[in-house]
Amino acid sequence: MPMIKVDHLERDFVQQNIHWWKRTSTIVHAVRDLSFAVQPGEIFGLLGQNGAGKTTTIKTLTTLLLPTAGTAQVNGLDVARDYKAIRQHINFIFGGELGLYRRLSARDNLLYFGSLYRLPLPTLAKRADELLALVGLDNEAERLVETFSKGMIQKLQIARGLINDPSVLFMDEPTIGLDAMSVQNLHKIILQAKQKGTTIVLTTHYLHEAEVLCDHLVVIDQGQKVAGGTVAEVIDAGQKQVPDTAITSLEDAYIALIEGGGTHDPRHLGNH
Amino acid sequence: MIHVIWETIKVQMKNSWARPMFRFTLVASPVLNTVLIYEMFLHSGRHDATSYIILGSGLMGLWSSICFSSIGDIARDRYMGVLPFLFTSPSNYNLLIVAKTIGNTVLASLTLVISAVTAAGLFRLTLQIPHPGLFIAALLVTIAGFIAISIPISYLMLLSRKTGLYMNVLDIPVTLLCGFVFPLSMLPSWTRPISAVLVPTWSTRLLQLSLRITPDWPAWRTTLLWNGGLIVVYVGLTALFWRVIEHRVRQQATLEVNE
Ligand SMILES: Nc1ncnc2c1ncn2[C@@H]1O[C@H](COP(=O)(O)OP(=O)(O)OP(=O)(O)O)[C@@H](O)[C@H]1O
Ligand SMILES: [Mg+2]
């Protein structure tokens, strides 16, 4: 059984446009008829341009947003209906510097977010220390997060994301804005989490990263899937788009797919 | 569950205390308020002036801390990007909010002490407490009432982003409408119904009653009933808001800063 199953998922947003004298609203189809499955223990990538619908998909899977139509299941549980049961078994991190209490120490952050999962304190304290060591922050455990660099914050985010020992960890652009060394470091941590059996769903704009990390991936354009499979399969799909050019990297395939996939309906369906 | 509440209270107190604005509201404003209210009452000739001076500034501080913190905390959690994590954690978000409010209230109780110390130090005024037991009981009811009213208000923040507006709308008007610093009989009569549905009005009255040398039991009974009744109403509102919020937040994505 797949760990995650997304079936004809749709998610619309109503965007308010405020003019001088009136307000209008536009419906944006952020995710359209998206289907994919993620197997237990794999690293799964969501790729796509800015605004493609990656974050929206992750928010739907993490029970932050309701689907407009279609279904999504995590561990066999429906995201719309069984959201409470799902929450115990997942966690998520967003790239960037948000998502932690900046005025608390690294360790206090882990202890607090862990306590929300109703872990007994001794277990929690032990796990917090293990995770701090895993991400290489054991010497900065007592420092306030506001004194941390981006890379350190990102590491702490991952530790926070693993504090409840989730079956699935969702990561939205986990390496955004990090230097090459930190990126390497984070990749190691992500692979270690995978080794321990955590299923990982991540989004990234760095195609090389997807190539290194992902077992399977989907390429989304304007809310719709344009290709999916292993890295090799996606490269093949890209090659089919441009038969005359030799495609060897995921990056070339991605560009071919996005450029070739421009036959969708307009996503803004007028005013109402 | 106890553990989550306790951890949330601790985190809340650490976070609040780390904010200069909170420390200012907590420490400096009761001192200033005590001085101002003292000046107001200087020539009033009222026998209960002392209780208005000390309790009034203490209650103002308590209210500002609770109002600003509980409402502001949701905004701060949103800006720090932790709101989605709190909201989707297996712990009930209501519980977290109650715990946060308790944390603020405990810290905010300091304002009463600071007002009393200021009044004693600057003006040689001390609050005569004939029945400490009754006073403490009234104080506990007051705190329960403040917590109960601040939660449904802070829930409105989850549905809206006009946080600053609400905070400012609530702060001073409540101070005036609930009779913290002067008797309600001084306000025009159309304000009575508004005062009546705000629990701090009745908490203030209860505190005033607890300072009488001979307790006025019938008045105690009515006032307690109002306090209790309104607390029940606010809890009901909280539950109602929560049902709306839980769905709306997931439908309309109001948890984040920039969307
Ligand atoms: N809360 C919201 N209200 C209105 N529109 C939204 C909201 N969230 C997202 N959208 C819109 O939905 C579309 C998809 O956004 P989403 O954030 O999922 O893209 P993304 O693939 O994560 O992009 P990026 O790579 O820039 O992070 C965009 O057009 C965006 O403007
Ligand atoms: Mg995104």
Side-chain angles (χ1 to χ4, degrees):
Chain A
M1 197 182 76
M3 182 59 94
I4 295 172
K5 199 164 178 310
V6 174
D7 221 7
H8 301 291
L9 183 71
E10 310 256 344
R11 171 68 210 206
D12 297 346
F13 288 108
V14 180
Q15 272 175 4
Q16 302 282 346
N17 311 302
I18 299 167
H19 304 286
W20 283 102
W21 61 95
K22 63 171 183 190
R23 256 169 208 247
T24 56
S25 53
T26 316
I27 294 194
V28 180
H29 301 302
V31 174
R32 296 189 295 171
D33 197 24
L34 185 64
S35 303
F36 63 85
V38 179
Q39 300 308 320
E42 73 169 335
I43 300 182
F44 189 91
L46 294 170
L47 305 185
Q49 302 289 88
N50 293 127
K54 305 178 295 294
T55 302
T56 306
T57 306
I58 288 205
K59 284 184 181 165
T60 311
L61 290 171
T62 52
T63 76
L64 276 164
L65 289 177
L66 285 166
T68 305
T71 59
Q73 292 182 341
V74 177
N75 216 345
L77 299 163
D78 184 77
V79 292
R81 209 183 45 233
D82 313 319
Y83 58 98
K84 284 188 180 141
I86 291 179
R87 288 171 178 177
Q88 185 76 35
H89 305 289
I90 61 166
N91 211 326
F92 53 99
I93 66 170
F94 295 128
E97 293 171 58
L98 296 178
L100 293 162
Y101 282 113
R102 299 178 62 78
R103 291 186 171 115
L104 299 184
S105 72
R107 198 160 184 281
D108 280 351
N109 266 286
L110 292 187
L111 292 179
Y112 182 59
F113 286 106
S115 74
L116 298 180
Y117 290 85
R118 307 210 188 93
L119 298 172
L121 193 59
T123 319
L124 188 55
K126 189 165 155 271
R127 195 174 292 165
D129 289 336
E130 284 167 8
L131 287 171
L132 284 165
L134 174 77
V135 300
L137 288 175
D138 30 354
N139 291 326
E140 334 290 334
E142 303 304 330
R143 259 172 71 181
L144 297 190
V145 173
E146 61 187 359
T147 69
F148 275 18
S149 72
K150 271 190 198 166
M152 291 162 77
I153 288 181
Q154 211 48 39
K155 288 176 182 170
L156 185 58
Q157 297 263 29
I158 294 192
R160 202 221 57 234
L162 292 170
I163 192 75
N164 60 325
D165 199 10
S167 316
V168 191
L169 178 61
F170 295 88
M171 302 185 169
D172 197 5
E173 303 190 38
T175 56
I176 190 167
L178 299 189
D179 64 64
M181 289 274 278
S182 306
V183 169
Q184 283 265 317
N185 230 318
L186 278 194
H187 287 180
K188 272 191 211 137
I189 297 168
I190 293 172
L191 288 167
Q192 273 173 19
K194 176 191 165 175
Q195 224 119 62
K196 289 200 172 151
T198 316
T199 307
I200 292 166
V201 176
L202 60 82
T203 76
T204 178
H205 288 294
Y206 308 115
L207 292 151
H208 174 68
E209 175 166 278
E211 217 164 343
V212 176
L213 292 177
C214 296
D215 301 300
H216 287 95
L217 47 93
V218 286
V219 179
I220 305 173
D221 189 30
Q222 302 186 19
Q224 279 183 317
K225 179 159 102 176
V226 292
T230 61
V231 172
E233 283 164 352
V234 172
I235 291 180
D236 275 356
Q239 183 69 71
K240 290 213 180 76
Q241 289 288 332
V242 282
D244 311 331
T245 333
I247 292 219
T248 49
S249 69
L250 184 60
E251 181 149 9
D252 291 344
Y254 173 85
I255 291 169
L257 285 164
I258 300 285
E259 283 182 341
T263 51
H264 304 302
D265 334 327
R267 77 196 263 136
H268 297 268
L269 290 191
N271 294 335
H272 80 155
Chain B
M1 194 171 104
I2 302 291
H3 178 58
V4 178
I5 296 181
W6 173 236
E7 287 300 315
T8 307
I9 293 176
K10 262 184 6 198
V11 163
Q12 180 60 28
M13 294 189 8
K14 276 189 199 171
N15 269 328
S16 291
W17 189 250
R19 284 191 300 119
M21 189 60 205
F22 188 85
R23 293 198 300 265
F24 177 81
T25 329
L26 208 61
V27 181
S29 70
V31 176
L32 290 175
N33 288 338
T34 308
V35 175
L36 285 174
I37 302 173
Y38 175 79
E39 296 296 333
M40 266 172 59
F41 274 91
L42 196 55
H43 304 294
S44 74
R46 289 184 66 103
H47 67 282
D48 52 2
T50 310
S51 75
Y52 274 107
I53 295 167
I54 297 175
L55 283 181
S57 55
L59 285 172
M60 269 175 84
L62 196 61
W63 177 251
S64 308
S65 316
I66 292 177
C67 169
F68 275 84
S69 310
S70 304
I71 295 173
D73 282 332
I74 292 185
R76 271 182 292 278
D77 281 356
R78 191 198 310 262
Y79 281 113
M80 281 193 281
V82 295
L83 203 49
F85 301 111
L86 301 184
F87 202 78
T88 58
S89 83
S91 296
N92 188 331
Y93 188 72
N94 290 296
L95 205 65
L96 303 185
I97 288 286
V98 173
K100 279 165 179 287
T101 314
I102 294 175
N104 283 333
T105 310
V106 171
L107 278 180
S109 308
L110 249 184
T111 56
L112 281 170
V113 178
I114 292 173
S115 300
V117 172
T118 310
L122 290 183
F123 311 120
R124 309 250 158 265
L125 291 176
T126 47
L127 200 57
Q128 300 303 324
I129 303 178
H131 310 286
L134 285 183
F135 181 73
I136 288 175
L139 204 57
L140 289 178
V141 174
T142 302
I143 288 176
F146 279 27
I147 293 176
I149 191 173
S150 71
I151 293 173
I153 294 172
S154 59
Y155 276 4
L156 290 174
M157 304 307 113
L158 283 172
L159 292 174
S160 159
R161 297 194 189 90
K162 299 192 186 76
T163 316
L165 175 74
Y166 289 116
M167 288 197 312
N168 293 314
V169 163
L170 285 170
D171 189 24
I172 297 297
V174 168
T175 302
L176 302 181
L177 284 171
C178 299
F180 289 176
V181 288
F182 52 74
L184 282 181
S185 53
M186 294 172 77
L187 289 177
S189 57
W190 61 265
T191 61
R192 297 276 156 76
I194 310 177
S195 303
V197 298
L198 294 168
V199 82
T201 306
W202 302 99
S203 334
T204 314
R205 187 165 299 177
L206 204 62
L207 282 169
Q208 298 284 359
L209 283 177
S210 75
L211 295 177
R212 301 257 174 97
I213 295 167
T214 37
D216 176 354
W217 295 117
W220 264 89
R221 214 187 55 194
T222 348
T223 314
L224 268 179
L225 272 176
W226 273 97
N227 273 294
L230 285 174
I231 290 176
V232 170
V233 170
Y234 297 145
V235 171
L237 274 181
T238 304
L240 188 74
F241 285 176
W242 177 248
R243 289 182 63 175
V244 179
I245 285 165
E246 226 196 351
H247 192 74
R248 275 270 281 277
V249 155
R250 294 213 294 152
Q251 202 164 49
Q252 299 182 350
T254 50
L255 288 184
E256 286 93 5
V257 200
N258 55 344
E259 311 182 302

